Amino acid sequence: MNLIEVKDLCKNYDAFKLKNVSFTLEEGFIMGFIGRNGAGKSTTLKTMLNLLKSDGGQVSLCGLSMPKDEIEIKNQVGYVFGGVDFYPESKISSITNVTKGFYQQWDEERYKELCQRFEIDQNKKFKELSAGMKVKYSLAVAMSHNPKLLILDEPTSGLDPAARDDLVLLFQEFIEDGQHSILFSTHITSDLEKCADYITYIKQGQIIASTDKDSFRKSYISVAGKKEQLSDALEEKIIGIHKHQFGFEGLMKSEDKASAEEAGFEIAEPSLEDIMVHIERR
């Protein structure tokens, strides 16, 4: 079963447009949603959840149609977005007591377990939490009403490497029964290297790739060499070429590997970060 089905989603602003965004995610998997700042990641996620009104397209979450089934969807989906400050002067315990009333399947034991795991002090005011602790608290709330799907916008931002590693482990635990899934946007590609099964890449409001992580990485090769090895025809095939005093480096489609080998380029398998850096240079 697909827990996410997005087809031809559009959102129009004067200076920016989401253009026919489409992708799917089956239950039991983690999808990383990547692209540079301003590419449309947050707009896509918020429009999927009807926090922004769409200008076209269809969204189905957990087998239900948005916006027709919005209330039921939001009981089955946990979501976290940056910049949410709740009530800064209120204690965490007071905020939770209000928030849990919106959910039909609030699990108090699960909430307490997550707060203990995240070391969240219930007596602190929200404004007293660090940026990282605010993210952890938001995640604890999002995961405490038995959601089937998590939709997270930059969930590891502001966390130190150890805390990010803990969250990656938590994400893997969440999906291990094969009935839950996670879609999360991030610019920290090392987190995706550890846990993502699928990658969806958005650039200037358009999806340029949505496939399993291994296929996505294997569709490109990293190349490097000396400037004299470059011909005009080869340079046109190099994505995001960077020339420097020692030569050049860039990215090529795997289908052009034979040309790269014939030219004597150094060839390597790129990381997700390599791919993102060179695509955004284009």
Side-chain angles (χ1 to χ4, degrees):
M1 174 183 173
N2 286 333
L3 292 186
I4 296 177
E5 293 183 0
V6 177
K7 184 177 181 181
D8 295 330
L9 187 65
C10 297
K11 177 66 182 175
N12 300 324
Y13 294 105
D14 290 341
F16 175 81
K17 289 180 172 58
L18 280 186
K19 305 163 193 171
N20 300 313
V21 167
S22 300
F23 61 91
T24 62
L25 179 61
E26 294 178 78
E27 58 187 354
F29 295 99
I30 297 174
M31 176 178 280
F33 192 33
I34 64 175
R36 73 183 306 163
N37 291 340
K41 300 188 300 296
S42 295
T43 300
T44 298
L45 300 183
K46 289 178 180 179
T47 307
M48 286 169 58
L49 287 164
N50 205 37
L51 300 175
L52 296 172
K53 298 293 183 183
S54 75
D55 292 310
Q58 300 173 345
V59 176
S60 173
L61 302 174
C62 302
L64 302 167
S65 179
M66 183 68 86
K68 181 172 71 73
D69 303 314
E70 182 172 1
I71 293 175
E72 182 57 30
I73 284 174
K74 289 182 177 177
N75 272 285
Q76 295 191 34
V77 177
Y79 51 96
V80 174
F81 291 93
V84 177
D85 282 334
F86 290 101
Y87 298 97
E89 295 291 340
S90 297
K91 288 185 177 181
I92 295 301
S93 57
S94 299
I95 295 170
T96 303
N97 284 335
V98 172
T99 303
K100 66 185 184 182
F102 292 98
Y103 296 104
Q104 298 168 0
Q105 298 187 57
W106 181 264
D107 187 336
E108 188 67 19
E109 290 305 310
R110 175 64 165 157
Y111 173 72
K112 290 178 179 177
E113 172 199 329
L114 289 168
C115 285
Q116 184 175 5
R117 182 169 181 166
F118 293 155
E119 299 180 332
I120 296 169
D121 185 346
Q122 298 293 304
N123 292 314
K124 277 193 172 183
K125 293 181 179 180
F126 188 79
K127 72 176 185 180
E128 295 173 335
L129 300 182
S130 66
M133 290 304 291
K134 287 177 180 178
V135 171
K136 289 181 178 181
Y137 173 65
S138 298
L139 272 169
V141 171
M143 297 181 72
S144 294
H145 61 276
N146 294 314
K148 292 181 180 178
L149 172 68
L150 293 178
I151 295 179
L152 313 171
D153 193 13
E154 302 281 358
T156 57
S157 181
L159 300 179
D160 61 60
R164 294 206 324 267
D165 202 56
D166 288 341
L167 280 195
V168 167
L169 180 60
L170 181 66
F171 294 164
Q172 291 169 329
E173 291 172 4
F174 181 75
I175 65 152
E176 66 185 1
D177 65 356
Q179 298 177 0
H180 298 78
S181 292
I182 300 173
L183 170 66
F184 76 100
S185 70
T186 186
H187 62 276
I188 306 174
T189 53
S190 59
D191 293 339
L192 299 181
E193 298 278 10
K194 294 176 184 176
C195 70
D197 302 293
Y198 292 90
I199 297 293
T200 293
Y201 198 120
I202 189 168
K203 183 174 182 179
Q204 296 176 345
Q206 292 182 291
I207 301 298
I208 63 172
S210 187
T211 186
D212 66 274
K213 181 177 65 180
D214 288 341
S215 295
F216 178 70
R217 287 182 57 179
K218 289 176 181 176
S219 64
Y220 296 98
I221 54 172
S222 290
V223 295
K226 299 177 180 178
K227 291 178 183 177
E228 53 265 30
Q229 293 174 292
L230 281 174
S231 65
D232 290 342
L234 281 172
E235 188 168 346
E236 286 182 6
K237 294 182 178 181
I238 299 176
I239 300 164
I241 190 169
H242 172 56
K243 295 180 181 178
H244 47 77
Q245 61 177 330
F246 302 108
F248 72 91
E249 59 185 34
L251 202 68
M252 293 180 75
K253 292 279 191 174
S254 292
E255 63 201 45
D256 294 321
K257 185 176 181 180
S259 298
E261 289 175 332
E262 186 177 341
F265 295 169
E266 295 176 23
I267 297 171
E269 182 179 327
S271 66
L272 292 176
E273 183 172 347
D274 293 333
I275 295 171
M276 188 170 174
V277 166
H278 288 293
I279 285 178
E280 295 302 336
R281 274 190 186 143
R282 178 185 283 177

